[in-house]
Structure formats: structure tokens, C-alpha cells
PDB file of all heavy atoms in Angstrom:
ATOM      1  N   PRO S   1      -4.533  -2.276 -12.951  1.00  0.00           N
ATOM      2  CA  PRO S   1      -4.292  -1.028 -13.664  1.00  0.00           C
ATOM      3  C   PRO S   1      -2.852  -0.562 -13.434  1.00  0.00           C
ATOM      4  O   PRO S   1      -2.293  -0.753 -12.359  1.00  0.00           O
ATOM      5  CB  PRO S   1      -5.301  -0.059 -13.014  1.00  0.00           C
ATOM      6  CG  PRO S   1      -6.363  -0.944 -12.434  1.00  0.00           C
ATOM      7  CD  PRO S   1      -5.674  -2.196 -12.021  1.00  0.00           C
ATOM      8  N   ALA S   2      -2.248   0.036 -14.450  1.00  0.00           N
ATOM      9  CA  ALA S   2      -0.852   0.504 -14.381  1.00  0.00           C
ATOM     10  C   ALA S   2       0.113  -0.634 -14.076  1.00  0.00           C
ATOM     11  O   ALA S   2       1.091  -0.460 -13.357  1.00  0.00           O
ATOM     12  CB  ALA S   2      -0.720   1.607 -13.344  1.00  0.00           C
ATOM     13  N   SER S   3      -0.164  -1.827 -14.642  1.00  0.00           N
ATOM     14  CA  SER S   3       0.682  -2.989 -14.373  1.00  0.00           C
ATOM     15  C   SER S   3       2.127  -2.765 -14.832  1.00  0.00           C
ATOM     16  O   SER S   3       3.065  -3.275 -14.216  1.00  0.00           O
ATOM     17  CB  SER S   3       0.115  -4.232 -15.066  1.00  0.00           C
ATOM     18  OG  SER S   3      -1.059  -4.671 -14.433  1.00  0.00           O
ATOM     19  N   GLY S   4       2.298  -2.005 -15.917  1.00  0.00           N
ATOM     20  CA  GLY S   4       3.645  -1.752 -16.405  1.00  0.00           C
ATOM     21  C   GLY S   4       4.516  -1.073 -15.363  1.00  0.00           C
ATOM     22  O   GLY S   4       5.694  -1.412 -15.206  1.00  0.00           O
ATOM     23  N   LYS S   5       3.944  -0.111 -14.659  1.00  0.00           N
ATOM     24  CA  LYS S   5       4.682   0.599 -13.610  1.00  0.00           C
ATOM     25  C   LYS S   5       4.854  -0.264 -12.360  1.00  0.00           C
ATOM     26  O   LYS S   5       5.931  -0.295 -11.747  1.00  0.00           O
ATOM     27  CB  LYS S   5       3.954   1.895 -13.232  1.00  0.00           C
ATOM     28  CG  LYS S   5       3.886   2.921 -14.349  1.00  0.00           C
ATOM     29  CD  LYS S   5       5.247   3.531 -14.611  1.00  0.00           C
ATOM     30  CE  LYS S   5       5.146   4.667 -15.614  1.00  0.00           C
ATOM     31  NZ  LYS S   5       6.483   5.254 -15.913  1.00  0.00           N
ATOM     32  N   LEU S   6       3.799  -0.957 -11.976  1.00  0.00           N
ATOM     33  CA  LEU S   6       3.837  -1.729 -10.727  1.00  0.00           C
ATOM     34  C   LEU S   6       4.705  -2.971 -10.832  1.00  0.00           C
ATOM     35  O   LEU S   6       5.124  -3.521  -9.808  1.00  0.00           O
ATOM     36  CB  LEU S   6       2.412  -2.125 -10.322  1.00  0.00           C
ATOM     37  CG  LEU S   6       1.477  -0.976  -9.942  1.00  0.00           C
ATOM     38  CD1 LEU S   6       0.066  -1.480  -9.735  1.00  0.00           C
ATOM     39  CD2 LEU S   6       1.975  -0.271  -8.682  1.00  0.00           C
ATOM     40  N   SER S   7       4.983  -3.435 -12.043  1.00  0.00           N
ATOM     41  CA  SER S   7       5.792  -4.650 -12.205  1.00  0.00           C
ATOM     42  C   SER S   7       7.271  -4.354 -12.391  1.00  0.00           C
ATOM     43  O   SER S   7       8.058  -5.257 -12.640  1.00  0.00           O
ATOM     44  CB  SER S   7       5.287  -5.462 -13.404  1.00  0.00           C
ATOM     45  OG  SER S   7       5.410  -4.720 -14.606  1.00  0.00           O
ATOM     46  N   THR S   8       7.678  -3.095 -12.271  1.00  0.00           N
ATOM     47  CA  THR S   8       9.090  -2.761 -12.420  1.00  0.00           C
ATOM     48  C   THR S   8       9.813  -2.861 -11.085  1.00  0.00           C
ATOM     49  O   THR S   8       9.208  -2.713 -10.018  1.00  0.00           O
ATOM     50  CB  THR S   8       9.262  -1.333 -12.965  1.00  0.00           C
ATOM     51  OG1 THR S   8       8.591  -0.422 -12.090  1.00  0.00           O
ATOM     52  CG2 THR S   8       8.691  -1.207 -14.366  1.00  0.00           C
ATOM     53  N   LEU S   9      11.109  -3.133 -11.161  1.00  0.00           N
ATOM     54  CA  LEU S   9      11.969  -3.185  -9.981  1.00  0.00           C
ATOM     55  C   LEU S   9      12.919  -1.997 -10.037  1.00  0.00           C
ATOM     56  O   LEU S   9      13.372  -1.605 -11.110  1.00  0.00           O
ATOM     57  CB  LEU S   9      12.762  -4.487  -9.942  1.00  0.00           C
ATOM     58  CG  LEU S   9      11.967  -5.797  -9.991  1.00  0.00           C
ATOM     59  CD1 LEU S   9      12.912  -6.990  -9.991  1.00  0.00           C
ATOM     60  CD2 LEU S   9      10.995  -5.887  -8.829  1.00  0.00           C
ATOM     61  N   ASN S  10      13.242  -1.446  -8.877  1.00  0.00           N
ATOM     62  CA  ASN S  10      14.177  -0.329  -8.861  1.00  0.00           C
ATOM     63  C   ASN S  10      15.618  -0.839  -8.877  1.00  0.00           C
ATOM     64  O   ASN S  10      15.866  -2.036  -9.041  1.00  0.00           O
ATOM     65  CB  ASN S  10      13.920   0.589  -7.658  1.00  0.00           C
ATOM     66  CG  ASN S  10      14.200  -0.082  -6.322  1.00  0.00           C
ATOM     67  OD1 ASN S  10      14.734  -1.185  -6.267  1.00  0.00           O
ATOM     68  ND2 ASN S  10      13.844   0.587  -5.249  1.00  0.00           N
ATOM     69  N   GLY S  11      16.566   0.048  -8.705  1.00  0.00           N
ATOM     70  CA  GLY S  11      17.964  -0.335  -8.767  1.00  0.00           C
ATOM     71  C   GLY S  11      18.382  -1.311  -7.689  1.00  0.00           C
ATOM     72  O   GLY S  11      19.402  -1.997  -7.820  1.00  0.00           O
ATOM     73  N   ARG S  12      17.612  -1.391  -6.609  1.00  0.00           N
ATOM     74  CA  ARG S  12      17.904  -2.343  -5.519  1.00  0.00           C
ATOM     75  C   ARG S  12      17.094  -3.627  -5.662  1.00  0.00           C
ATOM     76  O   ARG S  12      17.015  -4.417  -4.735  1.00  0.00           O
ATOM     77  CB  ARG S  12      17.648  -1.682  -4.167  1.00  0.00           C
ATOM     78  CG  ARG S  12      18.570  -0.488  -3.909  1.00  0.00           C
ATOM     79  CD  ARG S  12      18.261   0.161  -2.569  1.00  0.00           C
ATOM     80  NE  ARG S  12      19.086   1.338  -2.347  1.00  0.00           N
ATOM     81  CZ  ARG S  12      20.282   1.332  -1.757  1.00  0.00           C
ATOM     82  NH1 ARG S  12      20.778   0.178  -1.321  1.00  0.00           N
ATOM     83  NH2 ARG S  12      20.960   2.438  -1.590  1.00  0.00           N
ATOM     84  N   GLN S  13      16.471  -3.779  -6.822  1.00  0.00           N
ATOM     85  CA  GLN S  13      15.742  -4.994  -7.178  1.00  0.00           C
ATOM     86  C   GLN S  13      14.566  -5.288  -6.246  1.00  0.00           C
ATOM     87  O   GLN S  13      14.322  -6.422  -5.857  1.00  0.00           O
ATOM     88  CB  GLN S  13      16.680  -6.211  -7.235  1.00  0.00           C
ATOM     89  CG  GLN S  13      17.718  -6.103  -8.354  1.00  0.00           C
ATOM     90  CD  GLN S  13      18.644  -7.291  -8.379  1.00  0.00           C
ATOM     91  OE1 GLN S  13      19.701  -7.288  -7.752  1.00  0.00           O
ATOM     92  NE2 GLN S  13      18.263  -8.313  -9.097  1.00  0.00           N
ATOM     93  N   VAL S  14      13.840  -4.249  -5.875  1.00  0.00           N
ATOM     94  CA  VAL S  14      12.592  -4.399  -5.129  1.00  0.00           C
ATOM     95  C   VAL S  14      11.494  -3.652  -5.882  1.00  0.00           C
ATOM     96  O   VAL S  14      11.780  -2.662  -6.579  1.00  0.00           O
ATOM     97  CB  VAL S  14      12.703  -3.876  -3.677  1.00  0.00           C
ATOM     98  CG1 VAL S  14      13.662  -4.715  -2.872  1.00  0.00           C
ATOM     99  CG2 VAL S  14      13.108  -2.412  -3.662  1.00  0.00           C
ATOM    100  N   PRO S  15      10.242  -4.083  -5.755  1.00  0.00           N
ATOM    101  CA  PRO S  15       9.133  -3.441  -6.487  1.00  0.00           C
ATOM    102  C   PRO S  15       8.703  -2.141  -5.823  1.00  0.00           C
ATOM    103  O   PRO S  15       7.717  -2.076  -5.100  1.00  0.00           O
ATOM    104  CB  PRO S  15       8.027  -4.501  -6.441  1.00  0.00           C
ATOM    105  CG  PRO S  15       8.298  -5.256  -5.182  1.00  0.00           C
ATOM    106  CD  PRO S  15       9.793  -5.276  -5.012  1.00  0.00           C
ATOM    107  N   ALA S  16       9.442  -1.069  -6.081  1.00  0.00           N
ATOM    108  CA  ALA S  16       9.233   0.197  -5.383  1.00  0.00           C
ATOM    109  C   ALA S  16       7.831   0.761  -5.607  1.00  0.00           C
ATOM    110  O   ALA S  16       7.188   1.249  -4.664  1.00  0.00           O
ATOM    111  CB  ALA S  16      10.284   1.217  -5.818  1.00  0.00           C
ATOM    112  N   ASN S  17       7.332   0.725  -6.842  1.00  0.00           N
ATOM    113  CA  ASN S  17       6.005   1.285  -7.109  1.00  0.00           C
ATOM    114  C   ASN S  17       4.910   0.504  -6.391  1.00  0.00           C
ATOM    115  O   ASN S  17       3.919   1.084  -5.935  1.00  0.00           O
ATOM    116  CB  ASN S  17       5.737   1.308  -8.610  1.00  0.00           C
ATOM    117  CG  ASN S  17       6.549   2.378  -9.320  1.00  0.00           C
ATOM    118  OD1 ASN S  17       6.880   3.397  -8.725  1.00  0.00           O
ATOM    119  ND2 ASN S  17       6.888   2.142 -10.579  1.00  0.00           N
ATOM    120  N   ALA S  18       5.075  -0.813  -6.299  1.00  0.00           N
ATOM    121  CA  ALA S  18       4.113  -1.627  -5.548  1.00  0.00           C
ATOM    122  C   ALA S  18       4.170  -1.286  -4.059  1.00  0.00           C
ATOM    123  O   ALA S  18       3.135  -1.266  -3.370  1.00  0.00           O
ATOM    124  CB  ALA S  18       4.395  -3.110  -5.759  1.00  0.00           C
ATOM    125  N   ILE S  19       5.362  -1.001  -3.558  1.00  0.00           N
ATOM    126  CA  ILE S  19       5.509  -0.575  -2.161  1.00  0.00           C
ATOM    127  C   ILE S  19       4.793   0.755  -1.937  1.00  0.00           C
ATOM    128  O   ILE S  19       4.074   0.933  -0.952  1.00  0.00           O
ATOM    129  CB  ILE S  19       7.002  -0.465  -1.788  1.00  0.00           C
ATOM    130  CG1 ILE S  19       7.644  -1.852  -1.773  1.00  0.00           C
ATOM    131  CG2 ILE S  19       7.180   0.208  -0.425  1.00  0.00           C
ATOM    132  CD1 ILE S  19       9.160  -1.841  -1.676  1.00  0.00           C
ATOM    133  N   TYR S  20       4.975   1.694  -2.882  1.00  0.00           N
ATOM    134  CA  TYR S  20       4.276   2.975  -2.779  1.00  0.00           C
ATOM    135  C   TYR S  20       2.760   2.780  -2.798  1.00  0.00           C
ATOM    136  O   TYR S  20       2.023   3.450  -2.056  1.00  0.00           O
ATOM    137  CB  TYR S  20       4.683   3.894  -3.930  1.00  0.00           C
ATOM    138  CG  TYR S  20       6.050   4.517  -3.775  1.00  0.00           C
ATOM    139  CD1 TYR S  20       7.007   4.392  -4.784  1.00  0.00           C
ATOM    140  CD2 TYR S  20       6.376   5.248  -2.639  1.00  0.00           C
ATOM    141  CE1 TYR S  20       8.266   4.969  -4.644  1.00  0.00           C
ATOM    142  CE2 TYR S  20       7.630   5.823  -2.501  1.00  0.00           C
ATOM    143  CZ  TYR S  20       8.574   5.685  -3.511  1.00  0.00           C
ATOM    144  OH  TYR S  20       9.813   6.250  -3.369  1.00  0.00           O
ATOM    145  N   LEU S  21       2.258   1.879  -3.645  1.00  0.00           N
ATOM    146  CA  LEU S  21       0.823   1.658  -3.752  1.00  0.00           C
ATOM    147  C   LEU S  21       0.223   1.237  -2.416  1.00  0.00           C
ATOM    148  O   LEU S  21      -0.739   1.838  -1.927  1.00  0.00           O
ATOM    149  CB  LEU S  21       0.523   0.596  -4.814  1.00  0.00           C
ATOM    150  CG  LEU S  21      -0.936   0.117  -4.898  1.00  0.00           C
ATOM    151  CD1 LEU S  21      -1.857   1.257  -5.297  1.00  0.00           C
ATOM    152  CD2 LEU S  21      -1.060  -1.059  -5.859  1.00  0.00           C
ATOM    153  N   VAL S  22       0.781   0.187  -1.815  1.00  0.00           N
ATOM    154  CA  VAL S  22       0.262  -0.306  -0.539  1.00  0.00           C
ATOM    155  C   VAL S  22       0.438   0.742   0.548  1.00  0.00           C
ATOM    156  O   VAL S  22      -0.461   0.972   1.378  1.00  0.00           O
ATOM    157  CB  VAL S  22       0.957  -1.627  -0.156  1.00  0.00           C
ATOM    158  CG1 VAL S  22       0.498  -2.106   1.220  1.00  0.00           C
ATOM    159  CG2 VAL S  22       0.669  -2.705  -1.195  1.00  0.00           C
ATOM    160  N   GLY S  23       1.589   1.418   0.557  1.00  0.00           N
ATOM    161  CA  GLY S  23       1.854   2.420   1.584  1.00  0.00           C
ATOM    162  C   GLY S  23       0.934   3.619   1.494  1.00  0.00           C
ATOM    163  O   GLY S  23       0.433   4.114   2.512  1.00  0.00           O
ATOM    164  N   VAL S  24       0.689   4.118   0.287  1.00  0.00           N
ATOM    165  CA  VAL S  24      -0.187   5.287   0.119  1.00  0.00           C
ATOM    166  C   VAL S  24      -1.637   4.938   0.485  1.00  0.00           C
ATOM    167  O   VAL S  24      -2.333   5.732   1.136  1.00  0.00           O
ATOM    168  CB  VAL S  24      -0.093   5.817  -1.322  1.00  0.00           C
ATOM    169  CG1 VAL S  24      -1.176   6.858  -1.587  1.00  0.00           C
ATOM    170  CG2 VAL S  24       1.282   6.426  -1.574  1.00  0.00           C
ATOM    171  N   LEU S  25      -2.100   3.744   0.072  1.00  0.00           N
ATOM    172  CA  LEU S  25      -3.442   3.313   0.485  1.00  0.00           C
ATOM    173  C   LEU S  25      -3.543   3.264   2.007  1.00  0.00           C
ATOM    174  O   LEU S  25      -4.557   3.670   2.589  1.00  0.00           O
ATOM    175  CB  LEU S  25      -3.762   1.946  -0.110  1.00  0.00           C
ATOM    176  CG  LEU S  25      -4.150   1.902  -1.589  1.00  0.00           C
ATOM    177  CD1 LEU S  25      -4.308   0.455  -2.053  1.00  0.00           C
ATOM    178  CD2 LEU S  25      -5.441   2.675  -1.835  1.00  0.00           C
ATOM    179  N   ALA S  26      -2.493   2.770   2.658  1.00  0.00           N
ATOM    180  CA  ALA S  26      -2.486   2.706   4.121  1.00  0.00           C
ATOM    181  C   ALA S  26      -2.570   4.099   4.731  1.00  0.00           C
ATOM    182  O   ALA S  26      -3.295   4.314   5.718  1.00  0.00           O
ATOM    183  CB  ALA S  26      -1.237   1.990   4.608  1.00  0.00           C
ATOM    184  N   CYS S  27      -1.848   5.056   4.159  1.00  0.00           N
ATOM    185  CA  CYS S  27      -1.921   6.430   4.665  1.00  0.00           C
ATOM    186  C   CYS S  27      -3.340   6.986   4.543  1.00  0.00           C
ATOM    187  O   CYS S  27      -3.836   7.665   5.453  1.00  0.00           O
ATOM    188  CB  CYS S  27      -0.938   7.318   3.898  1.00  0.00           C
ATOM    189  SG  CYS S  27       0.811   7.001   4.258  1.00  0.00           S
ATOM    190  N   LEU S  28      -4.002   6.687   3.420  1.00  0.00           N
ATOM    191  CA  LEU S  28      -5.385   7.150   3.238  1.00  0.00           C
ATOM    192  C   LEU S  28      -6.317   6.491   4.241  1.00  0.00           C
ATOM    193  O   LEU S  28      -7.175   7.153   4.843  1.00  0.00           O
ATOM    194  CB  LEU S  28      -5.846   6.857   1.814  1.00  0.00           C
ATOM    195  CG  LEU S  28      -5.127   7.641   0.698  1.00  0.00           C
ATOM    196  CD1 LEU S  28      -5.600   7.157  -0.675  1.00  0.00           C
ATOM    197  CD2 LEU S  28      -5.379   9.134   0.851  1.00  0.00           C
ATOM    198  N   TYR S  29      -6.170   5.170   4.442  1.00  0.00           N
ATOM    199  CA  TYR S  29      -7.027   4.462   5.394  1.00  0.00           C
ATOM    200  C   TYR S  29      -6.813   4.957   6.821  1.00  0.00           C
ATOM    201  O   TYR S  29      -7.746   4.977   7.630  1.00  0.00           O
ATOM    202  CB  TYR S  29      -6.751   2.965   5.339  1.00  0.00           C
ATOM    203  CG  TYR S  29      -7.226   2.260   4.085  1.00  0.00           C
ATOM    204  CD1 TYR S  29      -6.877   0.933   3.832  1.00  0.00           C
ATOM    205  CD2 TYR S  29      -8.012   2.902   3.147  1.00  0.00           C
ATOM    206  CE1 TYR S  29      -7.301   0.274   2.691  1.00  0.00           C
ATOM    207  CE2 TYR S  29      -8.443   2.263   2.007  1.00  0.00           C
ATOM    208  CZ  TYR S  29      -8.082   0.952   1.780  1.00  0.00           C
ATOM    209  OH  TYR S  29      -8.498   0.311   0.644  1.00  0.00           O
ATOM    210  N   SER S  30      -5.589   5.342   7.130  1.00  0.00           N
ATOM    211  CA  SER S  30      -5.290   5.761   8.499  1.00  0.00           C
ATOM    212  C   SER S  30      -6.020   7.048   8.879  1.00  0.00           C
ATOM    213  O   SER S  30      -6.137   7.365  10.065  1.00  0.00           O
ATOM    214  CB  SER S  30      -3.778   5.941   8.684  1.00  0.00           C
ATOM    215  OG  SER S  30      -3.311   7.044   7.922  1.00  0.00           O
ATOM    216  N   LEU S  31      -6.515   7.786   7.885  1.00  0.00           N
ATOM    217  CA  LEU S  31      -7.273   9.009   8.172  1.00  0.00           C
ATOM    218  C   LEU S  31      -8.530   8.703   8.974  1.00  0.00           C
ATOM    219  O   LEU S  31      -9.067   9.582   9.651  1.00  0.00           O
ATOM    220  CB  LEU S  31      -7.645   9.729   6.872  1.00  0.00           C
ATOM    221  CG  LEU S  31      -6.469  10.248   6.027  1.00  0.00           C
ATOM    222  CD1 LEU S  31      -6.982  10.838   4.717  1.00  0.00           C
ATOM    223  CD2 LEU S  31      -5.665  11.280   6.795  1.00  0.00           C
ATOM    224  N   SER S  32      -9.021   7.460   8.907  1.00  0.00           N
ATOM    225  CA  SER S  32     -10.205   7.091   9.688  1.00  0.00           C
ATOM    226  C   SER S  32      -9.911   7.090  11.178  1.00  0.00           C
ATOM    227  O   SER S  32     -10.810   7.321  11.994  1.00  0.00           O
ATOM    228  CB  SER S  32     -10.708   5.711   9.261  1.00  0.00           C
ATOM    229  OG  SER S  32      -9.795   4.699   9.672  1.00  0.00           O
ATOM    230  N   GLY S  33      -8.661   6.782  11.555  1.00  0.00           N
ATOM    231  CA  GLY S  33      -8.292   6.722  12.958  1.00  0.00           C
ATOM    232  C   GLY S  33      -8.915   5.581  13.727  1.00  0.00           C
ATOM    233  O   GLY S  33      -8.872   5.546  14.960  1.00  0.00           O
ATOM    234  N   GLU S  34      -9.486   4.593  13.027  1.00  0.00           N
ATOM    235  CA  GLU S  34     -10.233   3.495  13.660  1.00  0.00           C
ATOM    236  C   GLU S  34      -9.453   2.181  13.548  1.00  0.00           C
ATOM    237  O   GLU S  34      -9.472   1.528  12.500  1.00  0.00           O
ATOM    238  CB  GLU S  34     -11.599   3.345  13.003  1.00  0.00           C
ATOM    239  CG  GLU S  34     -12.530   4.516  13.223  1.00  0.00           C
ATOM    240  CD  GLU S  34     -13.077   4.540  14.639  1.00  0.00           C
ATOM    241  OE1 GLU S  34     -13.041   3.483  15.312  1.00  0.00           O
ATOM    242  OE2 GLU S  34     -13.529   5.611  15.070  1.00  0.00           O
ATOM    243  N   PHE S  35      -8.801   1.790  14.618  1.00  0.00           N
ATOM    244  CA  PHE S  35      -8.018   0.553  14.609  1.00  0.00           C
ATOM    245  C   PHE S  35      -8.897  -0.667  14.370  1.00  0.00           C
ATOM    246  O   PHE S  35      -8.614  -1.495  13.500  1.00  0.00           O
ATOM    247  CB  PHE S  35      -7.261   0.410  15.934  1.00  0.00           C
ATOM    248  CG  PHE S  35      -6.565  -0.910  16.095  1.00  0.00           C
ATOM    249  CD1 PHE S  35      -5.407  -1.191  15.396  1.00  0.00           C
ATOM    250  CD2 PHE S  35      -7.075  -1.875  16.960  1.00  0.00           C
ATOM    251  CE1 PHE S  35      -4.757  -2.406  15.543  1.00  0.00           C
ATOM    252  CE2 PHE S  35      -6.439  -3.085  17.117  1.00  0.00           C
ATOM    253  CZ  PHE S  35      -5.274  -3.354  16.409  1.00  0.00           C
ATOM    254  N   ASP S  36      -9.979  -0.806  15.141  1.00  0.00           N
ATOM    255  CA  ASP S  36     -10.834  -1.984  15.013  1.00  0.00           C
ATOM    256  C   ASP S  36     -11.513  -2.044  13.648  1.00  0.00           C
ATOM    257  O   ASP S  36     -11.620  -3.111  13.039  1.00  0.00           O
ATOM    258  CB  ASP S  36     -11.887  -2.007  16.125  1.00  0.00           C
ATOM    259  CG  ASP S  36     -11.284  -2.334  17.477  1.00  0.00           C
ATOM    260  OD1 ASP S  36     -10.315  -3.109  17.516  1.00  0.00           O
ATOM    261  OD2 ASP S  36     -11.775  -1.805  18.494  1.00  0.00           O
ATOM    262  N   LEU S  37     -11.973  -0.907  13.154  1.00  0.00           N
ATOM    263  CA  LEU S  37     -12.615  -0.860  11.843  1.00  0.00           C
ATOM    264  C   LEU S  37     -11.643  -1.320  10.756  1.00  0.00           C
ATOM    265  O   LEU S  37     -11.984  -2.132   9.894  1.00  0.00           O
ATOM    266  CB  LEU S  37     -13.102   0.560  11.545  1.00  0.00           C
ATOM    267  CG  LEU S  37     -13.666   0.795  10.138  1.00  0.00           C
ATOM    268  CD1 LEU S  37     -14.962   0.028   9.956  1.00  0.00           C
ATOM    269  CD2 LEU S  37     -13.881   2.279   9.901  1.00  0.00           C
ATOM    270  N   LEU S  38     -10.415  -0.835  10.808  1.00  0.00           N
ATOM    271  CA  LEU S  38      -9.426  -1.161   9.788  1.00  0.00           C
ATOM    272  C   LEU S  38      -9.044  -2.634   9.817  1.00  0.00           C
ATOM    273  O   LEU S  38      -8.940  -3.286   8.779  1.00  0.00           O
ATOM    274  CB  LEU S  38      -8.179  -0.292   9.984  1.00  0.00           C
ATOM    275  CG  LEU S  38      -8.371   1.201   9.686  1.00  0.00           C
ATOM    276  CD1 LEU S  38      -7.209   2.014  10.239  1.00  0.00           C
ATOM    277  CD2 LEU S  38      -8.517   1.431   8.189  1.00  0.00           C
ATOM    278  N   THR S  39      -8.839  -3.179  11.016  1.00  0.00           N
ATOM    279  CA  THR S  39      -8.399  -4.566  11.108  1.00  0.00           C
ATOM    280  C   THR S  39      -9.537  -5.554  10.864  1.00  0.00           C
ATOM    281  O   THR S  39      -9.309  -6.647  10.336  1.00  0.00           O
ATOM    282  CB  THR S  39      -7.764  -4.840  12.483  1.00  0.00           C
ATOM    283  OG1 THR S  39      -8.669  -4.435  13.524  1.00  0.00           O
ATOM    284  CG2 THR S  39      -6.461  -4.070  12.638  1.00  0.00           C
ATOM    285  N   ASP S  40     -10.769  -5.169  11.224  1.00  0.00           N
ATOM    286  CA  ASP S  40     -11.906  -6.056  10.994  1.00  0.00           C
ATOM    287  C   ASP S  40     -12.258  -6.166   9.511  1.00  0.00           C
ATOM    288  O   ASP S  40     -12.803  -7.172   9.064  1.00  0.00           O
ATOM    289  CB  ASP S  40     -13.143  -5.567  11.757  1.00  0.00           C
ATOM    290  CG  ASP S  40     -13.016  -5.786  13.260  1.00  0.00           C
ATOM    291  OD1 ASP S  40     -12.085  -6.502  13.665  1.00  0.00           O
ATOM    292  OD2 ASP S  40     -13.837  -5.231  14.013  1.00  0.00           O
ATOM    293  N   LEU S  41     -11.961  -5.113   8.757  1.00  0.00           N
ATOM    294  CA  LEU S  41     -12.406  -5.029   7.379  1.00  0.00           C
ATOM    295  C   LEU S  41     -11.925  -6.194   6.529  1.00  0.00           C
ATOM    296  O   LEU S  41     -12.669  -6.754   5.724  1.00  0.00           O
ATOM    297  CB  LEU S  41     -11.926  -3.700   6.764  1.00  0.00           C
ATOM    298  CG  LEU S  41     -12.431  -3.370   5.355  1.00  0.00           C
ATOM    299  CD1 LEU S  41     -13.941  -3.271   5.341  1.00  0.00           C
ATOM    300  CD2 LEU S  41     -11.797  -2.074   4.858  1.00  0.00           C
ATOM    301  N   GLY S  42     -10.655  -6.576   6.702  1.00  0.00           N
ATOM    302  CA  GLY S  42     -10.107  -7.614   5.837  1.00  0.00           C
ATOM    303  C   GLY S  42     -10.212  -9.031   6.342  1.00  0.00           C
ATOM    304  O   GLY S  42      -9.984  -9.974   5.578  1.00  0.00           O
ATOM    305  N   THR S  43     -10.573  -9.220   7.616  1.00  0.00           N
ATOM    306  CA  THR S  43     -10.482 -10.547   8.209  1.00  0.00           C
ATOM    307  C   THR S  43     -11.399 -11.561   7.540  1.00  0.00           C
ATOM    308  O   THR S  43     -10.967 -12.657   7.173  1.00  0.00           O
ATOM    309  CB  THR S  43     -10.805 -10.482   9.717  1.00  0.00           C
ATOM    310  OG1 THR S  43      -9.886  -9.583  10.342  1.00  0.00           O
ATOM    311  CG2 THR S  43     -10.685 -11.857  10.351  1.00  0.00           C
TER     312      THR S  43
END
């Protein structure tokens, strides 16, 4: 979803919107405060 935005590069030629996506999801996940839960989830 929103591929048009996520596939753009900023003036420094990095995918800024994709960086925001992963970073914002991480901020939301960090609200759990559970290190083991977070790291076990993806393994």
C-alpha cells in the first residue's frame, strides 16, 4: 500500500519514506516494553 510514496528517494538518494515506515512501526512496537517478546516474534 502507498507504493508510490514508499518507492521515492529523497534529495540524498535514500528511501526516506521507507525509513519512516520501519522506524514508526518500531516506535509503536516499543510501547510493549518487552525485549524477548519483540525479538522472538520474527525469528
Side-chain angles (χ1 to χ4, degrees):
S3 289
K5 295 289 186 182
L6 294 173
S7 62
T8 57
L9 304 178
N10 66 8
R12 297 179 183 270
Q13 295 179 269
V14 294
N17 287 331
I19 292 169
Y20 284 126
L21 172 63
V22 176
V24 170
L25 283 175
C27 289
L28 294 175
Y29 289 171
S30 68
L31 296 175
S32 70
E34 294 286 340
F35 173 74
D36 288 327
L37 174 67
L38 291 166
T39 53
D40 288 348
L41 186 61
T43 302

